[in-house]
Amino acid sequence: MSSEIKVAVNGALGRMGSTVLTAAAAEEGVTPVGGADIAASSDSVTIAGTSVSVPLASGLAELFEIAKPDVVVDFTNGEAAKESILTCINAGVRVVSGSTGLSPEDLEEIKQLSADKGVGVISASNFALGGVVLMHLAGIASKYFDYADLLESHHEMKVDAPSGTALSIAESMIEGRGKGFEQNVADLQTLDGTRGGDFQGINVHSARMPGRVARHEVVFGALGQTLTMIHDSINRESFMPGVMLGVKDVVGRSELVVGLASVLGLDKP
C-alpha cells in the first residue's frame, strides 16, 4: 500500500459525507479519490472548500469500477449500511463506518466476512474523541454509584432514538458496574414515558431539536451526591479527527473492530 491512503466516501452528498471529504483532502497522508451517493446526479463532486473534484457514482459497486480506494468511510443507516460494508469487504476495501442502526446480527455477519476475507472494518457509534473518552470514564465511574440517568440530544433530523452513542455509553456503564442499576419506579406517573427508556436500570432520555449536533450527559447518584459527565459536539468537524484516526488505523487491520476504544488504547489494562 502506498504512503498515501486513498479514501472514498459513501453518502458523499450528505452533511457528514461532505465533511469527511473535506477532512480527507486536508489530512496529511490521506487522499480522497471518490464518492458514492444514491442521490448522485452527476459523475463528479467538488470537495467543499477546495477546487478539487472526485468521481461520484450512485453506488459503491459502480464507484469501484472507476476508483480504487484503500478505505471507504461510510455514514449511512441500517440495512443500507450493512450492504455497503459487505460490498466493500467483498471488494477487498477496508471500511470505517459511523453508520447507525446496525443490529448485533448485522455486526456478527460483518465480523464473519471481515475475518474470512482478512479485510479490516472499524464500526463506531461516535468518532468525537471526547465522546469515546466519556464512554470509557462512565464505565469506570459506574461501579461506585447505584443510580444513573443518561440524557442525549441531537438535531431534529436524526432518525434513531436513543443514539447509538447513548447505547454504547449505557453498555459501557453496565459492563463497568457488572450488573444493572437500582431504579426509582414512580408510584404515580401522570404522563407516560416521563421516566424515559429503561436500559438495565439506567433511565435514558432523548431530545430532538434544531440547534443541536450531539450532546450526551451521564448523571450518577448516590447518598448526598451526584456526578455529572457531559460531552458536546458543537459541529460535525468535531468527528473528523476520530474519522481520520480510524482511516489510518484500519489499513493495518484484518478484522472487525467495534468502537474507537482500541484505536485510542482505552481497551488496554
Side-chain angles (χ1 to χ4, degrees):
M1 188 172 293
S2 68
S3 58
E4 287 287 317
I5 302 170
K6 298 187 292 294
V7 172
V9 177
N10 192 33
L13 300 181
R15 289 177 292 186
M16 278 298 293
S18 62
T19 304
V20 173
L21 279 174
T22 300
E27 184 73 15
E28 185 176 354
V30 175
T31 301
V33 297
D37 199 294
I38 194 171
S41 59
S42 66
D43 59 5
S44 67
V45 58
T46 300
I47 299 174
T50 76
S51 58
V52 177
S53 293
V54 295
L56 179 68
S58 59
L60 287 169
E62 294 82 1
L63 179 66
F64 293 159
E65 294 177 0
I66 55 176
K68 303 297 180 185
D70 301 310
V71 179
V72 163
V73 177
D74 179 79
F75 280 95
T76 51
N77 294 301
E79 188 66 24
K82 185 185 80 167
E83 293 306 318
S84 296
I85 294 169
L86 296 180
T87 295
C88 290
I89 296 172
N90 281 317
V93 178
R94 292 173 172 85
V95 184
V96 173
S97 175
S99 301
T100 58
L102 291 170
S103 69
E105 293 76 20
D106 292 336
L107 287 172
E108 185 57 37
E109 185 176 350
I110 291 166
K111 178 181 179 180
Q112 187 62 55
L113 187 63
S114 174
D116 289 346
K117 300 287 187 178
V119 177
V121 177
I122 294 176
S123 177
S125 61
N126 195 327
F127 283 91
L129 301 184
V132 180
V133 173
L134 174 60
M135 291 179 206
H136 182 69
L137 295 177
I140 293 172
S142 290
K143 63 176 65 74
Y144 304 106
F145 295 88
D146 294 329
Y147 290 80
D149 273 52
L150 175 53
L151 306 89
E152 59 93 357
S153 57
H154 284 76
H155 55 89
E156 78 283 10
M157 300 299 289
K158 187 168 178 60
V159 298
D160 56 328
S163 67
T165 298
L167 290 174
S168 295
I169 293 170
E171 289 165 357
S172 175
M173 292 163 66
I174 296 299
E175 182 179 356
R177 181 171 163 78
K179 59 182 179 180
F181 284 79
E182 296 181 29
Q183 187 182 57
N184 161 267
V185 178
D187 291 332
L188 177 63
Q189 191 166 175
T190 55
L191 183 62
D192 288 343
T194 302
R195 295 288 289 124
D198 178 1
F199 189 99
Q200 298 189 46
I202 305 168
N203 290 106
V204 183
H205 311 265
S206 296
R208 298 289 177 266
M209 65 189 71
R212 288 282 194 204
V213 174
R215 178 184 179 93
H216 293 88
E217 178 178 354
V218 183
V219 183
F220 294 102
L223 185 63
Q225 61 181 306
T226 61
L227 172 64
T228 302
M229 301 179 181
I230 298 174
H231 177 261
D232 280 302
S233 282
I234 306 304
N235 53 39
R236 288 174 179 81
E237 284 75 15
S238 66
F239 305 115
M240 294 306 106
V243 171
M244 292 300 112
L245 278 176
V247 165
K248 293 177 178 180
D249 182 87
V250 78
V251 295
R253 297 198 182 258
S254 57
E255 72 290 316
L256 170 67
V257 174
V258 177
L260 281 190
S262 65
V263 177
L264 299 181
L266 295 177
D267 61 341
K268 299 173 183 177

